[in-house]
């Protein structure tokens, strides 16, 4: 059976002159600069990759890069696909299926998110230990292809305990504060209301954002080890002063980028 991402896979195998890496990193809002120090070996705009849905979120570039960083070869997805852009949830995980079919084993997801703890000093980094996906149609809905993963995948260890322990060690070595928490997915594109933020706090969430969860579910289903880090760029609506503004989110993301770059660099050397 031909799969949606087969042509994209062939395209990369034909056009990329390098051996393909086993690690991929998805860069979230305001975090594109994290790769400043990486040596870029190959890149392709998403547009050139057959079947690749087009990313349109402001603050997101749209390229697949192969780069060397901290001694490791890594795929970078600079720009991700969001459900709020109008993509189906299946489309938003196209890149993850593509990476899995290219034999990527370790997926590191980054995002910008709102913090739900009013005592947070921003910007801050949060390691995702679990998520709430209630508001997301499942990316695995529909007939299951048993060659890709099980019909009813276990979600107990979506975020690899080994990788989480490694990330916490790496953060301590770099002197970076990294708390673990639960990430709640909201569909967006509107930010949450203060009532929604209070409800999410009661549900046990520590951060809220509009991405990552579908990707993590898909990657886990495909047997990848997943690590996910949120850059907390603002307090959830109603927890801080005034309203929320996407420009502030991008700016705070860039500020958090320095710590994230140090942390990811260290994680890569230890992987
Ligand atoms: N809510 C949802 N998504 C976000 C936020 C937020 O407060 N901040 C950054 N992404």
């Amino acid at each position: 059976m031909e799969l949606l991402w087969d042509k994209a896979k062939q395209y990369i195998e034909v056009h990329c002159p390098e051996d393909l890496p086993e690690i991929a990193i998805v860069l979230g809002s305001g975090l594109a600069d994290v790769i400043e120090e990486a040596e870029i070996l190959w890149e392709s705009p998403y547009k050139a990759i057959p079947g690749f849905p087009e990313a349109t979120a402001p603050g997101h570039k749209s390229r697949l890069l192969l780069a060397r960083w901290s001694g490791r070869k890594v795929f970078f997805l600079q720009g991700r696909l969001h459900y709020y852009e109008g993509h189906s949830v299946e489309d938003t995980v196209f890149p993850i299926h593509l990476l899995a079919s290219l034999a990527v084993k370790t997926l590191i997801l980054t995002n910008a998110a709102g913090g739900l703890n009013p005592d947070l000093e921003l910007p801050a980094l949060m390691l995702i230990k679990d998520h709430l996906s209630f508001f997301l149609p499942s990316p695995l809905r529909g007939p299951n292809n048993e060659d890709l993963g099980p019909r009813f995948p276990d979600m107990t260890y979506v975020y690899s305990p080994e990788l989480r322990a490694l990330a916490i060690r790496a953060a301590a070595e770099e002197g970076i504060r990294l708390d673990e928490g639960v990430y709640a997915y909201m569909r967006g594109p509107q930010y949450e209301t203060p009532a929604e933020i209070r409800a999410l706090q009661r549900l046990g969430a520590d951060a809220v954002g509009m991405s990552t969860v579908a990707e993590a579910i898909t990657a886990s289903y495909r047997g990848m080890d997943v690590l996910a880090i949120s850059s907390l760029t603002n307090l959830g609506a109603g927890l801080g002063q005034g309203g929320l503004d996407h420009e502030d989110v991008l700016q705070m993301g860039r500020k958090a980028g320095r710590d994230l770059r140090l942390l990811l660099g260290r994680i890569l050397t230890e992987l």
Side-chain angles (χ1 to χ4, degrees):
M1 188 177 90
E2 200 192 359
L3 298 168
L4 267 181
W5 46 88
D6 279 348
K7 287 203 172 63
K9 173 175 184 267
Q10 282 158 20
Y11 176 89
I12 289 163
E13 284 169 347
V14 169
H15 287 86
C16 182
E18 300 281 332
D19 289 339
L20 301 184
E22 293 196 341
I23 305 169
I25 300 180
V26 178
L27 297 171
S29 295
L31 303 174
D33 297 346
V34 161
I35 56 161
E36 259 167 21
E37 288 165 5
E39 178 198 350
I40 295 171
L41 304 172
W42 179 77
E43 66 174 87
S44 172
Y46 292 164
K47 268 207 273 299
I49 303 173
F52 208 107
E54 199 169 339
T56 65
H60 283 256
K61 292 182 180 154
S62 304
R63 334 181 254 178
L64 174 68
L65 299 146
L66 179 61
R68 194 186 309 280
W69 189 28
S70 292
R72 305 301 297 259
K73 249 191 207 182
V74 186
F75 271 134
F76 283 97
L77 285 155
Q78 212 182 24
R80 58 150 56 87
L81 307 163
H82 301 82
Y83 184 72
Y84 65 71
E85 293 171 77
H87 297 297
S88 66
V89 67
E90 289 82 3
D91 272 359
T92 68
V93 296
F94 178 96
I96 308 304
H97 282 296
L98 175 59
L99 293 171
S101 71
L102 292 168
V104 168
K105 303 268 181 297
T106 303
L107 181 67
I108 302 178
L109 301 167
T110 67
N111 62 45
L116 300 187
N117 177 347
D119 298 331
L120 271 174
E121 245 184 78
L122 299 173
L125 297 178
M126 186 191 92
L127 186 61
I128 300 181
K129 67 174 178 190
D130 205 346
H131 67 228
L132 301 175
S133 74
F134 304 139
F135 304 118
L136 180 75
S138 174
L140 310 179
R141 184 169 171 266
N144 188 49
N145 182 338
E146 289 288 329
D147 294 339
L148 305 184
R151 171 72 295 185
F152 299 110
D154 179 32
M155 291 285 124
T156 311
Y157 305 108
V158 175
Y159 303 93
S160 156
E162 291 78 20
L163 290 181
R164 279 164 47 206
L166 187 153
I168 286 170
R169 262 199 325 272
E173 285 160 9
E174 290 292 340
I176 294 168
R177 178 164 178 176
L178 184 68
D179 294 317
E180 284 198 287
V182 173
Y183 175 97
Y185 171 83
M186 289 290 273
R187 275 190 292 244
Q190 75 282 9
Y191 287 114
E192 300 71 36
T193 63
E196 286 165 344
I197 291 295
R198 287 194 298 276
L200 292 173
Q201 286 174 318
R202 287 187 193 163
L203 290 172
D206 300 295
V208 56
M210 306 174 195
S211 68
T212 303
V213 169
E215 296 157 11
I217 290 171
T218 305
S220 172
Y221 163 77
R222 296 294 306 263
M224 296 160 116
D225 295 322
V226 180
L227 182 73
I229 300 169
S230 288
S231 137
L232 305 181
T233 51
N234 58 281
L235 291 175
L239 299 179
Q241 302 291 318
L244 265 55
D245 180 56
H246 187 62
E247 273 312 313
D248 296 342
V249 168
L250 292 181
Q251 210 184 347
M252 273 297 203
R254 282 189 286 272
K255 269 198 194 167
R258 188 191 143 271
D259 276 358
L260 186 63
R261 181 163 44 210
L262 286 175
L263 179 59
L264 288 174
R266 173 68 74 153
I267 288 170
L268 286 179
T269 56
E270 298 190 5
L271 262 179

